[in-house]
Amino acid sequence: ANSASGMAVHDDCKLKFMELKAKRTHRFIVFKIEDKQIIVEKLGEPTETYEDFAALLPAEECRYAVYDYDFMTGENVPKSRIFFIAWCPDTAKVRSKMIYASSKDRFKRELDGIQVELQATDPTEMGLDVFKSRVN
């Protein structure tokens, strides 16, 4: 457990992340902190869209998420980047924001293979346009 926040990371978090990274069996993963540990809340099927993903993030609660973003390079080469999103809406409780903020870096280190990190307090800060701008 993390000494700063006391959060344990459930083994399932790393397992599902490895599946997303290596086998691409998930489009995204939403994680939440529950009972002093980080757990997998939702898994996105490979066929699910960005809109499906964005709709799952609660308007008034913090979450961590990982999203496997597919895009075309300028040379028309298909690529993907794994985004880590720290979702902390302004309307979330202060204590929740503090817990998520203090656990984030350690949790991110557990997920080996994160390529881009986004901090978002509202949906516009993690829109597809933001994803596009961060992969180029």
Side-chain angles (χ1 to χ4, degrees):
N2 180 350
S3 56
S5 66
M7 288 307 144
V9 177
H10 194 283
D11 291 341
D12 215 26
C13 295
K14 288 181 270 197
L15 188 74
K16 298 300 183 204
F17 179 75
M18 292 310 289
E19 289 174 3
L20 176 144
K21 186 173 96 169
K23 303 189 200 122
R24 309 200 67 188
T25 44
H26 315 296
R27 168 66 56 199
F28 56 81
I29 310 170
V30 178
F31 304 96
K32 74 185 279 194
I33 295 177
E34 195 171 272
D35 301 327
K36 293 208 186 318
Q37 71 169 344
I38 300 171
I39 59 164
V40 172
E41 182 180 40
K42 295 250 175 25
L43 291 171
E45 296 295 320
T47 52
E48 289 193 74
T49 64
Y50 173 82
E51 286 71 24
D52 297 328
F53 162 69
L56 289 172
L57 295 176
E60 298 183 357
E61 289 177 42
C62 301
R63 290 291 185 273
Y64 301 125
V66 171
Y67 188 88
D68 188 7
Y69 176 65
D70 293 322
F71 63 100
M72 287 294 210
T73 66
E75 297 77 48
N76 275 337
V77 180
K79 286 212 166 170
S80 78
R81 285 275 182 276
I82 298 175
F83 277 74
F84 178 87
I85 299 148
W87 170 248
C88 265
D90 292 330
T91 50
K93 293 188 176 78
V94 173
R95 174 152 175 71
S96 171
K97 287 192 224 182
M98 285 169 51
I99 291 169
Y100 275 83
S102 64
S103 308
K104 181 188 65 148
D105 288 335
R106 181 178 169 274
F107 178 53
K108 209 175 76 190
R109 278 198 299 276
E110 300 264 349
L111 306 179
D112 184 38
I114 299 288
Q115 292 160 308
V116 187
E117 181 188 332
L118 291 178
Q119 297 263 6
T121 57
D122 72 65
T124 62
E125 294 176 353
M126 49 164 266
L128 278 176
D129 53 335
V130 177
F131 280 53
K132 285 188 188 99
S133 72
R134 294 293 297 273
V135 296
N136 295 330

